[in-house]
């Protein structure tokens, strides 16, 4: 039994909506439904009355809900305590970062930070967006770094978490060039042309942002999605092999553009509207973080360094 199934079930009880819970859990609705069904198969009983709307719990679901809350609370508390003990002798600042930013933004940003702020030890933990946010909310990192776009905001309680803007990043279409340096796959495609499109998986944050932009800015264009993956690095690799056009963050293609291995696919003025994402860092407010919700406190050296780093980032806030 996967503990994520219990988390899905608790979310569904709280929202009473498959679509809303799927959105909060950063998975497609069909994948979310399959996970609920997997939990029901493991339990051996229907947990939801699907003959009504909004969703209601069956007697079995009513019985499982408080047990699921208790189990998840115990598991999370135990994990926090273990992590706290593991970090007690450490002076490392821990970052939770989605995979795309871990490959593209984070390495260069960390170099600049060490040059201006000073040296410090760090640990990078790369996840999908949902699990990166979960790492912060469970007390498993010092800082969370994520993209933010108004169409798909990261929902964190402002009373509990601080936020600082680290900068902005453009997402745009890129293509492998032809012999003359022009994009093999140009944007927008010509009328009636089905453009080979390398897209993000439905659960990827960048995919949700790009899809929302495409529906608004280019609903009439024909895109033939021939490949999908959750990671921008995977799309970049396919674009480099001339499989199609991909929408990628600027930091992910800087070296390839400089080397001429990729080129901007959009003609001047062809995008009509840009896709500008903020790069945001979040932390749990220090007064809440101190006790780690019953876990062992982090080492004083790491805590002091993380506080100093946050103050520096606030002073340098880029947005």
């Amino acid at each position: 039994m996967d503990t994520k199934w219990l988390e899905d079930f608790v979310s569904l009880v709280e929202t009473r909506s498959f679509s809303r819970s799927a959105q909060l859990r950063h998975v497609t609705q069909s994948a979310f439904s399959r996970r609920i069904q997997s939990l029901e198969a493991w339990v051996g009983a229907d947990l939801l009355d699907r003959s009504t709307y909004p969703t209601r719990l069956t007697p079995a679901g009513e019985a499982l809900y408080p047990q699921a809350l208790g189990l998840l609370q115990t598991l999370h508390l135990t994990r926090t305590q273990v992590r706290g003990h593991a970090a007690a002798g450490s002076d490392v600042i821990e970052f939770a970062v989605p995979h795309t930013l871990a490959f593209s933004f984070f390495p260069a940003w960390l170099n600049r930070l060490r040059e201006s702020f000073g040296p410090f030890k760090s640990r990078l933990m790369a996840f999908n967006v949902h699990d990166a946010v979960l790492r912060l909310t469970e007390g498993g990192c010092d800082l969370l770094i994520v993209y933010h776009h108004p169409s798909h905001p990261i929902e964190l309680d402002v009373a509990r978490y601080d936020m600082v803007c680290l900068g902005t990043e453009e997402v745009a279409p890129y293509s492998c060039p032809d012999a003359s340096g022009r994009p093999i796959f140009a944007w927008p495609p010509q009328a009636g042309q089905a453009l080979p499109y390398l897209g993000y998986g439905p659960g990827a944050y960048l995919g949700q942002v790009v899809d929302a932009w495409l529906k608004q800015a280019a609903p009439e264009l024909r895109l033939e999605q021939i490949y999908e993956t959750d990671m921008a690095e995977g799309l970049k690799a396919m674009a480099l092999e001339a499989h199609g056009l991909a929408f990628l963050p600027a930091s992910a293609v800087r070296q390839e553009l400089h080397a001429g291995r990729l080129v901007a696919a959009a003609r001047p003025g062809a995008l009509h509207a840009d896709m500008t994402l903020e790069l945001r860092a979040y932390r749990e407010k220090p007064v809440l973080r101190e006790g780690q919700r019953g876990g062992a406190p982090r080492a004083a050296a790491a805590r002091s360094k993380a506080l100093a780093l946050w103050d520096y980032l606030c002073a340098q806030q880029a947005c």
Side-chain angles (χ1 to χ4, degrees), residues 40 46-58:
E40 290 178 317
D46 289 338
L47 302 174
L48 305 168
D49 182 357
R50 292 175 172 81
S51 66
T52 64
Y53 185 86
T55 304
R56 291 192 305 188
L57 296 178
T58 63

Side-chain angles (χ1 to χ4, degrees), residues 90 122 129 155 189 215 232 256:
S90 172
S122 61
V129 171
E155 297 181 356
K215 289 177 182 177
E256 289 75 16

Side-chain angles (χ1 to χ4, degrees), residues 5 8 12 17-23 25-40 50 201-203 208 228:
W5 300 348
D8 292 340
L12 183 57
S17 167
F18 275 84
S19 59
R20 178 60 175 156
S21 284
Q23 182 181 21
R25 301 286 288 161
H26 297 283
V27 296
T28 63
Q29 187 169 336
S30 59
F32 183 84
S33 296
R34 286 194 299 271
R35 284 169 26 172
I36 294 295
Q37 291 168 0
S38 296
L39 177 62
E40 290 178 317
R50 292 175 172 81
Q208 295 171 355
E228 72 173 43

